[in-house]
Amino acid sequence: MADLDEQFAKAQVDVKKLTTRPSNDDLLTLYATFKQATAGDASGAKKPGRFDMVGRAKYDAWTKLAGVSSDDAKRRYVATAERLLGR
């Protein structure tokens, strides 16, 4: 467990060092898996209004992960980060 938490923490730091901006889909994946890993399901979060397109896209990406465990979300985050970093 601690190993996964360490990988997750390292991936968060490493993603900030990317020299090129990831695609919007990759950014949404990183956001959604981070939120699912740290906050759980989006059921308690308020859905952004229709004029907040960025907030809405982020919320929708997060809600698609409903039911995914924290550990699985961390693994997905790390895998996405590793792919973006070319590892």
Side-chain angles (χ1 to χ4, degrees):
M1 176 73 112
D3 188 42
L4 178 59
D5 290 336
E6 290 170 11
Q7 290 176 357
F8 182 63
K10 183 175 180 343
Q12 291 173 58
V13 171
D14 290 347
V15 162
K16 293 177 184 173
K17 296 177 185 175
L18 287 170
T19 56
T20 58
R21 186 179 187 276
S23 70
N24 287 339
D25 288 339
D26 286 333
L27 289 172
L28 285 173
T29 298
L30 288 170
Y31 173 82
T33 52
F34 175 83
K35 290 295 281 185
Q36 188 68 20
T38 58
D41 290 346
S43 59
K46 184 179 178 203
K47 187 172 188 172
R50 65 180 169 189
F51 296 112
D52 180 4
M53 292 185 194
V54 173
R56 189 85 173 232
K58 291 164 80 174
Y59 179 86
D60 290 344
W62 182 16
T63 59
K64 288 179 185 175
L65 295 179
V68 172
S69 72
S70 175
D71 285 350
D72 192 30
K74 287 177 184 179
R75 283 186 202 93
R76 292 182 191 191
Y77 184 95
V78 169
T80 302
E82 294 288 323
R83 180 177 51 78
L84 293 172
L85 293 161
R87 295 183 186 161

